[in-house]
Amino acid sequence: MEILISFRDYESAVNLANSNLAREQLARASVAVAEERLNTYLSITTDRAGVLAGQEPEDVLKDARKTLNSMGALENVTQLDGVVERLAVARQLAEVASAGALDMRAGQGAQIFAAYAILVRELNTLRLALLAQEQPADQETAVAFQLRRYTNILMEMLSQNRALVQRLTLSRPGPHLVPVRSQAEGIGNRSDLAAELLRDQPLIQDMQITSAVAEIVQLYENDYRPAEKQVLAFTGQAVPPAEIAAAWQAQAKKLAVTGAILQDALFIYSRSRLEHAQTVALSRLLWWVGYLLLGLAAVAVGLRTVLKRIVRPLEALRSSMLRLAEGDLDTPLPAYTQKDEVGIMADALRVFKANAVRRARLQEERLAMHGRLKSAYRQLKLDMEAAASVQEALLPPSARLGGVKFAGLLRPSHFISGDTYDVLRQPNGTVHFFHVDVAGHGAGAALVSVASHCNLTQAVLRRQSGETLADTAEKINQDWPEHLPFFTMVLGALNPEAGHGVLIQAGHPPPLLMRQSGEVEQIGDGGLPVGVMNSARYDEVHFAFKPGDRLMVYSDGLTEAENPSGQAFSEERLLACVNGWASLSTDDMLATLLGTLKNWRASENFEDDVTVLILEATENEHFARVA
């Protein structure tokens, strides 16, 4: 078992290192494409090239494709090939646009800029998909990955505005620049959010990276952003003074260099930690292999000694004992001269001794069997506890994402559960959540719950702009393997800033919407579970979700929990309890609900998994400040 665990740890470390290398190459490719976008956009719209480009995108994309091929990520290779093809198309459009008159290029420049921006976004989406497949167990490495992500977002926003703002400084004022200035201001606001996320991230124990993060945030907020706003204050009305434009360009170049240094430091730090983890896993694997070989050698020597010194002499004694027990008193005794246990048995060849020996042997075998059964049960229990720890690690801790504060509880009926949930935040600020209950119990349902958790997480992360929640749910249902059990689900998206929420109910109990006013209502009208019918369609349930409102999502293990008399807790009783708990905080409500359910059961145990997730709309300080 230990050697299998060590092998899996080493395999996981190798996969994570390869995935990290591919994501690093994709990040460098996105930077190279962004630099090409800057030069191409300025040459088309102003007849002046931008800054000198760095590494050619083809070189980095070729390296990334080679790494993905070595990982066997054929689907990701296909996506990367699509990016390469669309890059060639964007270049052809740019070449055609460059041949036209300058006053005819504005609209073409905007289209080409958008095409390059889509390429950068696709590369970043591919990076996030790889990260979702391989999550590091080391917290320091996970934080470094987050810092890399937010740094990449900030530098992409900076790259876009370097092109847009520089065009504004090089063009004559006029109505044709109004959309460009509006786009630059919007990107600047998103840059503020990226800088804030980077500043609020937990820091890692590396002084160089800690200092670099503080430096880039300070440089952005104190120097670059004020200079950019000063330039945008002139554009559209008059050409900004040369010294203001030059000051902005200097700060933009300085910020770009600082960001590149931070990214390189994060790449080096991530690689070193992953290489160290891989070395440790390999050392542990080799140690266990050596230990196994040594054990096998000891067993072989022991077997040879037992065969020579014990088994063969005992076999001869046994044959003589059986003949003596049958009354053959003339049977010759085996020649055995050693003064040990076998010798004593040879001197005491009588029927009663033979019977005693047989009884002792039977007793030893029974004890050995009992020991093996006890050991097997202990190992099974350890395996179940380890599986429960892995399953629990998938659940998000109580936290606040944007304008949504959430907390949950899960009480499995056994060691492991067929229930799961998660809360995720998209880059646009929308908070997604899902709540799953797999049909059945035990290890099979638990494994399916982990599979469904990963499937829904990837579906949320890969959700495209314009894709409805119903489209996402239907795709999840269509892609669910027919041989796996079905599961019920609530999949939702919350946007407290807009005061709106939407969810899909797939066979799950109807969630409870608790208004700030104290009113409680059930929402949702059923729907088929995922995996029951491949062609199933799902309806979206829209509802108002404003600060102070709370949404409770739960599994049927709560309402179907029976008291000693066999009476179910029921949705009506849950609704009555929640109505009486309107003044309680979310954490107190979960604790009170669990205590009430245990009292109802008159037991600490449950016959079915009980899972509850409460999401609360709160005031988002950042968006309130921006407004």
Side-chain angles (χ1 to χ4, degrees):
M1 179 58 68
E2 290 294 340
I3 195 171
L4 289 177
I5 293 175
S6 299
F7 177 77
R8 290 169 183 169
D9 289 345
Y10 175 68
E11 184 180 35
S12 176
V14 171
N15 291 339
L16 188 57
N18 290 335
S19 174
N20 178 69
L21 176 60
R23 288 185 284 106
E24 178 181 334
Q25 291 166 339
L26 290 171
R28 296 187 187 280
S30 67
V31 171
V33 172
E35 288 294 325
E36 182 174 314
R37 173 184 62 198
L38 171 64
N39 286 290
T40 302
Y41 180 72
L42 291 178
S43 65
I44 290 175
T45 57
T46 66
D47 267 340
R48 293 179 63 179
V51 297
L52 293 176
Q55 191 172 8
E56 289 294 330
E58 291 87 345
D59 298 336
V60 196
L61 289 171
K62 184 178 179 181
D63 293 340
R65 191 181 192 281
K66 183 177 180 181
T67 303
L68 291 173
N69 260 326
S70 68
M71 295 168 55
L74 300 182
E75 181 179 354
N76 301 125
V77 170
T78 301
Q79 295 173 358
L80 191 60
D81 289 341
V83 172
V84 174
E85 293 175 359
R86 287 187 286 279
L87 176 61
V89 173
R91 287 174 172 174
Q92 292 176 358
L93 293 175
E95 184 177 353
V96 172
S98 300
L102 179 61
D103 57 354
M104 300 294 292
R105 300 178 191 170
Q108 295 171 318
Q111 295 175 358
I112 294 170
F113 184 88
Y116 273 100
I118 291 174
L119 294 176
V120 174
R121 185 164 59 250
E122 288 179 347
L123 289 172
N124 290 333
T125 300
L126 185 54
R127 287 174 52 238
L128 290 177
L130 289 173
L131 179 59
Q133 296 170 6
E134 301 289 346
Q135 289 289 351
D138 176 28
Q139 183 63 26
E140 287 278 309
T141 307
V143 172
F145 285 173
Q146 277 297 90
L147 289 173
R148 281 167 50 176
R149 177 185 176 188
Y150 292 138
T151 301
N152 183 265
I153 293 174
L154 179 61
M155 300 315 296
E156 165 59 9
M157 296 296 103
L158 170 64
S159 175
Q160 292 188 37
N161 262 11
R162 286 180 67 191
L164 298 174
V165 177
Q166 194 166 348
R167 180 191 173 187
L168 293 173
T169 63
L170 297 176
S171 303
R172 293 192 307 273
H176 64 289
L177 294 181
V178 172
V180 180
R181 182 176 185 272
S182 176
Q183 186 179 1
E185 289 177 339
I187 293 173
N189 291 334
R190 291 194 293 274
S191 299
D192 291 340
L193 177 59
E196 182 179 353
L197 291 172
L198 187 61
R199 183 186 64 222
D200 294 341
Q201 269 297 297
L203 297 179
I204 57 181
Q205 296 179 359
D206 185 285
M207 292 304 299
Q208 180 183 0
I209 293 178
T210 300
S211 301
V213 171
E215 180 182 357
I216 194 172
V217 172
Q218 183 178 9
L219 179 61
Y220 174 83
E221 294 180 344
N222 297 344
D223 299 329
Y224 171 78
R225 186 61 171 142
E228 182 179 81
K229 290 181 178 179
Q230 197 171 13
V231 171
L232 291 176
F234 282 92
T235 56
Q237 302 173 2
V239 177
E243 61 274 13
I244 292 179
W248 168 80
Q249 284 219 15
Q251 294 299 333
K253 292 179 180 178
K254 184 177 180 181
L255 186 59
V257 171
T258 304
I261 293 173
L262 174 57
Q263 285 182 319
D264 286 339
L266 287 169
F267 289 149
I268 294 172
Y269 179 80
S270 301
R271 285 199 302 270
S272 66
R273 291 194 68 89
L274 293 175
E275 288 170 359
H276 174 71
Q278 189 173 340
T279 301
V280 171
L282 179 59
S283 299
R284 187 181 297 114
L285 176 61
L286 293 176
W287 190 91
W288 278 109
V289 169
Y291 187 78
L292 176 63
L293 293 176
L294 182 62
L296 291 176
V299 170
V301 173
L303 287 175
R304 184 175 181 276
T305 301
V306 169
L307 182 65
K308 180 180 179 181
R309 299 286 301 275
I310 299 176
V311 175
R312 289 174 180 170
L314 282 179
E315 184 62 30
L317 287 175
R318 178 178 178 273
S319 177
S320 298
M321 289 177 186
L322 289 176
R323 286 194 293 270
L324 289 172
E326 292 174 356
D328 186 4
L329 301 179
D330 296 329
T331 182
L333 298 180
Y336 193 84
T337 61
Q338 297 291 334
K339 298 301 181 181
D340 53 15
E341 289 81 358
V342 179
I344 296 174
M345 291 173 63
D347 294 337
L349 282 180
R350 291 182 174 86
V351 175
F352 70 91
K353 189 65 174 181
N355 292 335
V357 170
R358 285 196 295 271
R359 287 195 299 270
R361 186 177 301 159
L362 184 60
Q363 180 66 14
E364 289 175 1
E365 291 176 354
R366 186 161 53 247
L367 292 175
M369 178 63 72
H370 177 72
R372 288 194 294 271
L373 289 174
K374 186 176 180 180
S375 177
Y377 173 78
R378 182 169 56 252
Q379 187 62 54
L380 178 61
K381 182 180 179 182
L382 290 174
D383 291 345
M384 295 291 281
E385 290 174 347
S389 298
V390 172
Q391 192 174 39
E392 183 179 359
L394 291 176
L395 302 179
S398 300
R400 172 175 172 170
L401 294 180
V404 176
K405 179 181 179 183
F406 66 92
L409 66 84
L410 186 152
R411 291 295 182 274
S413 57
H414 303 290
F415 283 96
I416 49 182
S417 169
D419 292 1
T420 188
Y421 63 85
D422 206 347
V423 183
L424 306 165
R425 186 183 183 189
Q426 293 285 62
N428 63 4
T430 301
V431 175
H432 287 75
F433 69 92
F434 60 80
H435 195 286
V436 169
D437 183 358
V438 177
H441 301 285
L447 290 173
V448 175
S449 77
V450 172
S452 64
H453 190 288
C454 297
N455 197 359
L456 266 68
T457 299
Q458 293 185 16
V460 170
L461 292 175
R462 293 176 178 175
R463 188 180 176 200
Q464 301 294 324
S465 176
E467 179 181 338
T468 67
L469 205 60
D471 294 336
T472 303
E474 290 168 6
K475 188 175 186 303
I476 292 170
N477 180 62
Q478 292 169 1
D479 294 342
W480 188 249
E482 294 181 358
H483 64 278
L484 292 182
F486 67 85
F487 62 89
T488 65
M489 172 188 72
V490 169
L491 173 64
L494 304 175
N495 191 347
E497 289 78 21
H500 176 260
V502 59
L503 60 81
I504 298 294
Q505 185 185 6
H508 218 65
L512 300 182
L513 184 58
M514 299 173 280
R515 298 294 185 190
Q516 187 179 22
S517 61
E519 179 183 359
V520 181
E521 62 177 302
Q522 291 182 323
I523 58 176
D525 55 357
L528 284 175
V530 174
V532 171
M533 182 182 296
N534 183 264
S535 60
R537 294 292 179 265
Y538 298 95
D539 296 326
E540 295 183 346
V541 179
H542 295 264
F543 55 94
F545 194 67
K546 299 178 180 179
D549 293 346
R550 289 183 285 188
L551 183 68
M552 175 186 287
V553 190
Y554 57 92
S555 63
D556 59 9
L558 192 158
T559 54
E560 294 178 2
E562 295 181 351
N563 62 10
S565 301
Q567 183 180 6
F569 190 78
S570 76
E571 293 181 359
E572 292 77 13
R573 185 170 282 101
L574 174 62
L575 188 62
C577 290
V578 172
N579 271 305
W581 298 337
S583 61
L584 295 180
S585 66
T586 296
D587 291 337
D588 290 343
M589 183 176 293
L590 286 172
T592 303
L593 176 59
L594 183 59
T596 301
L597 202 59
K598 289 180 179 179
N599 291 335
W600 173 260
R601 288 273 303 156
S603 171
E604 293 286 327
N605 301 319
F606 300 95
E607 295 178 350
D608 194 4
D609 305 324
V610 175
T611 312
V612 182
L613 174 63
I614 299 180
L615 305 106
E616 180 178 358
T618 64
E619 290 288 347
N620 189 309
E621 295 178 3
H622 169 72
F623 285 96
R625 185 165 62 251
V626 172

